[in-house]
Amino acid sequence: MSSRVRAAIRVEGIVQGVGFRPYVYGLATGLGLDGLVGNDERGVFIEVEGGPGPVGEFLAALRDRPPPLAVIEHISAGTLPATGETGFVIARSATGGDRRALVPPDVATCDDCLREMDDPADRRYRYAFTNCTNCGPRFTIVRDVPYDRPNTTMAGFAMCADCAREYHDPADRRFHAQPVCCPACGPRLRLVDGDGREAPGDPVALAAERLLDGQVLAVKGLGGYHLAAVAGCEQAVAALRSRKHREDKPFAVMAADLAQAGRLCEVGEAAAELLTGRERPIVLLVRRTDAEVAPSAAPGNRRLGVMLPYTPLHHLLLRALGRPVVLTSGNVSDEPIAYRDDEAAGRLGGIADAFLTHDRPIHTRTDDSVIRLFRGRAVPVRRSRGYVPHPLPLAWECPRPVLACGAELKNTFCLAKGSHAFVSHHIGDLENYETSRSFTEGVEHFARLFDVVPEVVAHDLHPEYLSTKYALDRVDADLVGVQHHHAHVASCLADNGVAGPVIGVAFDGLGYGTDGTLWGGEFLVAGLAGFERAGHLATVPMPGGAAAIREPWRMAAAYLDLAFEGDVPASLGVVRRNAARWDAVVALARRGVNAPRTSSAGRLFDAVAAILGVRDAITYEGQAAVELEQRADPAERGTYPCPVTSEAPSGPPFAVPGTALVRAVVDDLCAGADPSVVAARFHNAVAGLVADGCDRVRAATGLSAVALSGGVFQNLLLLERAAGLLERRGFHVLLHHRVPPNDGGVSLGQAAVAAALDRERRWGCA
């Protein structure tokens, strides 16, 4: 026995639900080693015994060649006395103690499972819930850890003898695959009519027939219900849009495969990699002019959100149809996605003609993720299914556990513990009871899964945000208020593992400022623990308050009145279109009654969009700016001058008068310039003022790193022009790549700020 050694190994990271124990079993037995492997709250524990050489090979393989879905964050190894016991076993999962196990995201169906589904001789032929250790539902079905079947929504499906044999066979691909099932023992698919009656026959074939007949179907996916219609059928897509009360916001389209996606959009190498990756997000791509997509699918938009099937059901349905489908969240207007069968029947009954549903419960509702590509790299617009709850590693430790409650719009929350930040799935806009309840339930679920008891709670400064009110109601933790735009910049810093200080440019719609005004066009000198306001867009009134967000022409009225000192050209279309209310709105702005002042870059984009005739009123957040970007001619390189001035005699903060840009836009338009050219020159001018503002801050501080954040930087034309100009002037530009630049990333920034302040107080360093 003297030649034998025994090693105790601990593996942490995403190592549960990814076939790690079967992998360890196969590796150990292949090397002739004895011992055990098991799950517990921290991850995977292993003991291997054998000759020193094979034990060393085992450790090397564990580090260098883990299973494809595993993400190893830490491996530790120690020695134990050799026992002489023979055989290698998978031990019973251990419970109790500090939970550090990481739950994997949901994973798209793998090629092996697809081959089985296509094989008429296989018992899972055309089975809509086929999965294995390398694919299938994970986060959306997990109730608790460790990740074992009793702690998932598959607990109610007892395995048949064949599935149990696969589950217990170390040589099988489904060895310890927790959602394993088959037609004999697993979830069952049904097509249900609007009156609740189950339709006889093959549910997939029946669903395809109804879609081809122009019907709208509710389809139960991984994280909730979608609403589906044939993408090329204008009558069906228009009916879906009307019933859903979604006037203009683009719908996503699911294509059967890359070839079909390529007939809809321009699909380059980076896009193809994203579309076919295991996360399967919606990818926003340039739409082909001859794409067979109904006009109502994405009205007035040069881009189309495309995704590929990520569940067996999607594969079966798209194959049966032979054409793409619109696939949009199963909700009405701004409600959260429906995910429980009873609520789906009630909430979607007036939209869907039938339901393609099943009896596997969804524990956590999760929307599809949305990605844009910038310079061949992914920029999240919405980080949700496929990515969550994968933790974001932090470059610095959190002294105490943190809950960051996020913003009001595009809400996410973040729980941070040690060196992990768990940014939640997309919750949505906290403007109704259902979404607020989803937020509260989500916080409780994450806290339980990852064993986080917050001792610090971070929140936005806006007192009316529901996320802020939730934080203020908690009496079990220290509260930290974080200014909205500081959180944006901190989010970008945390996204890049940088502590700062940097020049932070935070351009967005609105955020509560420290001076009582509404900020949104900010130049900050910021680190994680603090910031100074170095400059901003000059403030203008928002006549009507929130009404000015819904009706961009109001912002045009305010900007034009200031830019032309009351002598606004009466020939402008925006003036003529809104003549009945123009004088009253201008008077409101001048008096400052119900007209809060704002430095918002988003509101400047709104004003220019209205002036150019793009959009006087919006039906979804950011619509005017989105359509202004769509209108701009990307080949145009002209620009407008925009001076940077001091707002106070002492110097900072400087102000950038957006009125100068508005006047230049009007002069160009009145001179006969095409609106697409004017829109492009406006974008170039905003990029120029970003670079000029950063030049001014660099001259005062010596800083040369710039973090670009905020929803305005989802505009790829602006981002390309601004980042390129900054780089040519010698700046190092930090961009988002793991969390969105919009308010979906604010919670990460809040957590990073709260942790930095805690480190500063406790350890004297940020």
Side-chain angles (χ1 to χ4, degrees):
M1 194 181 298
S2 60
S3 63
R4 288 169 64 88
V5 296
R6 191 175 184 92
I9 304 163
R10 160 73 54 189
V11 188
E12 297 180 16
I14 296 184
V15 291
Q16 293 187 13
V18 293
F20 206 89
R21 289 176 298 174
Y23 161 78
V24 168
Y25 182 98
L27 179 62
T29 55
L31 290 169
L33 297 173
D34 305 303
L36 56 89
V37 60
N39 281 346
D40 63 13
E41 284 82 357
R42 294 174 58 192
V44 170
F45 59 90
I46 306 168
E47 293 183 18
V48 288
E49 183 172 330
V55 169
E57 287 183 53
F58 177 89
L59 280 167
L62 202 63
R63 291 190 176 98
D64 300 336
R65 300 188 302 278
L69 298 185
V71 179
I72 294 178
E73 294 188 350
H74 182 67
I75 296 179
S76 60
T79 58
L80 293 172
T83 66
E85 295 177 356
T86 59
F88 196 91
V89 298
I90 292 183
R92 183 183 297 273
S93 294
T95 58
D98 182 27
R99 296 182 182 178
R100 281 192 262 170
L102 302 180
V103 177
D106 300 278
V107 184
T109 309
C110 70
D111 290 340
D112 288 332
C113 284
L114 288 176
R115 277 192 290 271
E116 288 178 340
M117 289 168 53
D118 289 339
D119 182 0
D122 194 280
R123 68 192 188 91
R124 291 188 176 88
Y125 177 57
R126 292 179 52 80
Y127 182 54
F129 306 94
T130 305
N131 68 84
C132 69
T133 54
N134 294 321
C135 68
R138 299 293 193 269
F139 172 61
T140 52
I141 64 170
V142 171
R143 290 192 174 110
D144 208 343
V145 291
Y147 176 69
D148 287 326
R149 193 179 182 99
N151 289 330
T152 74
T153 63
M154 287 297 296
F157 298 92
M159 283 186 277
C160 67
D162 288 333
C163 285
R165 187 163 46 252
E166 292 170 333
Y167 183 86
H168 293 291
D169 181 2
D172 196 279
R173 196 174 84 255
R174 293 186 173 87
F175 185 43
H176 279 255
Q178 303 310 325
V180 64
C181 59
C182 74
C185 65
R188 189 175 73 88
L189 196 63
R190 299 179 299 145
L191 184 77
V192 179
D193 288 319
D195 58 7
R197 289 181 299 177
E198 182 175 345
D202 177 6
V204 172
L206 291 171
E209 287 176 10
R210 297 201 179 203
L211 287 168
L212 291 171
D213 283 342
Q215 292 190 21
V216 173
L217 261 62
V219 181
K220 188 176 181 182
L222 277 179
Y225 279 81
H226 287 100
L227 292 164
V230 171
C233 179
E234 172 61 17
Q235 181 180 352
V237 177
L240 169 56
R241 189 171 288 285
S242 173
R243 297 175 193 174
K244 189 175 159 74
H245 303 300
R246 183 166 166 173
E247 294 180 46
D248 301 298
K249 194 173 184 180
F251 289 143
V253 173
M254 178 174 278
D257 50 34
L258 271 181
Q260 199 174 79
R263 291 192 288 273
L264 300 175
C265 296
E266 296 176 12
V267 180
E269 185 177 339
E273 188 174 338
L274 273 173
L275 286 169
T276 58
R278 65 193 186 203
E279 296 88 359
R280 295 293 167 96
I282 297 168
V283 184
L284 300 178
L285 300 171
V286 175
R287 180 176 176 172
R288 292 193 180 278
T289 55
D290 59 348
E292 294 185 7
V293 177
S296 294
N301 204 308
R302 290 201 302 244
R303 292 181 182 269
L304 194 64
V306 179
M307 59 179 157
L308 298 187
Y310 53 86
T311 70
L313 176 56
H314 291 136
H315 282 281
L316 293 170
L317 183 59
L318 268 291
R319 290 174 187 175
L321 277 170
R323 61 196 68 188
V325 291
V326 159
L327 206 65
T328 186
S329 299
N331 56 10
V332 179
S333 191
D334 294 322
E335 292 180 355
I337 186 172
Y339 74 111
R340 295 191 178 102
D341 298 334
D342 55 349
E343 69 164 359
R347 288 170 53 195
L348 306 181
I351 305 175
D353 297 303
F355 288 74
L356 184 58
T357 186
H358 57 79
D359 54 353
R360 183 179 67 203
I362 298 169
H363 186 70
T364 302
R365 74 173 112 216
T366 312
D367 276 293
D368 294 314
S369 296
V370 182
I371 303 291
R372 295 191 83 166
L373 280 163
F374 180 69
R375 296 178 175 177
R377 192 176 189 185
V379 178
V381 174
R382 185 169 72 197
R383 181 181 181 270
S384 206
R385 178 197 48 77
Y387 297 90
V388 175
H390 194 301
L392 302 177
L394 296 172
W396 317 273
E397 290 278 328
C398 298
R400 293 183 292 168
V402 176
L403 165 63
C405 296
E408 183 85 344
L409 301 180
K410 299 179 175 64
N411 177 268
T412 63
F413 60 84
C414 176
L415 284 164
K417 176 183 178 183
S419 60
H420 285 141
F422 299 95
V423 179
S424 78
H425 50 297
H426 170 79
I427 303 296
D429 298 347
L430 298 182
E431 296 179 328
N432 56 56
Y433 170 75
E434 280 297 324
T435 316
S436 181
R437 187 182 71 173
S438 182
F439 168 87
T440 303
E441 291 173 350
V443 170
E444 293 170 354
H445 185 49
F446 267 60
R448 183 172 62 254
L449 278 185
F450 306 115
D451 200 22
V452 179
V453 180
E455 297 179 35
V456 180
V457 175
H459 60 84
D460 195 273
L461 298 183
H462 200 301
E464 294 305 312
Y465 282 3
L466 292 181
S467 56
T468 301
K469 291 179 177 180
Y470 171 87
L472 297 178
D473 284 343
R474 293 192 66 132
V475 295
D476 56 349
D478 295 334
L479 298 181
V480 177
V482 182
Q483 199 280 324
H484 187 85
H485 300 93
H486 182 207
H488 268 306
V489 175
S491 172
C492 190
L493 294 178
D495 205 344
N496 288 276
V498 174
V502 299
I503 303 167
V505 183
F507 280 14
D508 66 357
L510 290 174
Y512 204 74
T514 56
D515 61 356
T517 64
L518 299 172
W519 293 6
E522 309 307 310
F523 294 86
L524 309 179
V525 174
L528 293 176
F531 77 98
E532 293 181 3
R533 195 185 193 194
H536 55 85
L537 288 176
T539 60
V540 295
M542 284 177 54
I549 300 174
R550 298 188 298 270
E551 299 179 347
W553 73 268
R554 291 172 177 263
M555 291 309 306
Y559 262 107
L560 287 167
D561 187 55
L562 290 171
F564 288 90
E565 298 179 344
D567 189 19
V568 179
S571 61
L572 285 175
V574 67
V575 179
R576 296 197 311 271
R577 292 190 304 271
N578 300 283
R581 293 187 290 166
W582 189 270
D583 290 343
V585 166
V586 168
L588 201 66
R590 289 176 180 175
R591 290 197 307 269
V593 177
N594 191 24
R597 299 193 70 84
T598 182
S599 59
S600 166
R603 302 289 80 81
L604 174 59
F605 272 79
D606 284 352
V608 172
I611 291 167
L612 293 182
V614 173
R615 176 70 52 179
D616 282 353
I618 64 170
T619 62
Y620 65 89
E621 194 252 341
Q623 182 180 7
V626 168
E627 294 182 359
L628 183 64
E629 178 192 3
Q630 297 287 327
R631 179 70 65 88
D633 179 359
E636 174 60 37
R637 295 290 170 173
T639 187
Y640 304 124
C642 189
V644 176
T645 62
S646 293
E647 193 161 86
S650 58
F654 63 81
V656 182
T659 50
L661 292 185
V662 167
R663 179 136 197 163
V665 162
V666 172
D667 289 346
D668 218 1
L669 191 63
C670 290
D674 188 275
S676 65
V677 172
V678 179
R681 290 173 180 169
F682 169 73
H683 279 79
N684 296 340
V686 175
L689 73 85
V690 167
D692 290 346
C694 290
D695 272 337
R696 183 170 181 133
V697 179
R698 178 168 60 182
T701 64
L703 296 172
S704 60
V706 177
L708 301 179
S709 191
V712 169
F713 287 111
Q714 289 178 154
N715 182 321
L716 295 189
L717 178 60
L718 174 64
L719 187 62
E720 178 58 54
R721 300 290 159 88
L725 197 52
L726 287 165
E727 288 162 351
R728 288 193 293 276
R729 295 189 188 185
F731 288 98
H732 174 58
V733 181
L734 301 174
L735 305 174
H736 286 269
H737 62 97
R738 296 187 299 176
V739 296
N742 62 40
D743 281 5
V746 161
S747 64
L748 175 63
Q750 291 173 342
V753 169
L757 290 171
D758 215 18
R759 287 193 299 273
E760 199 172 66
R761 283 192 293 265
R762 288 170 171 263
W763 303 332
C765 63

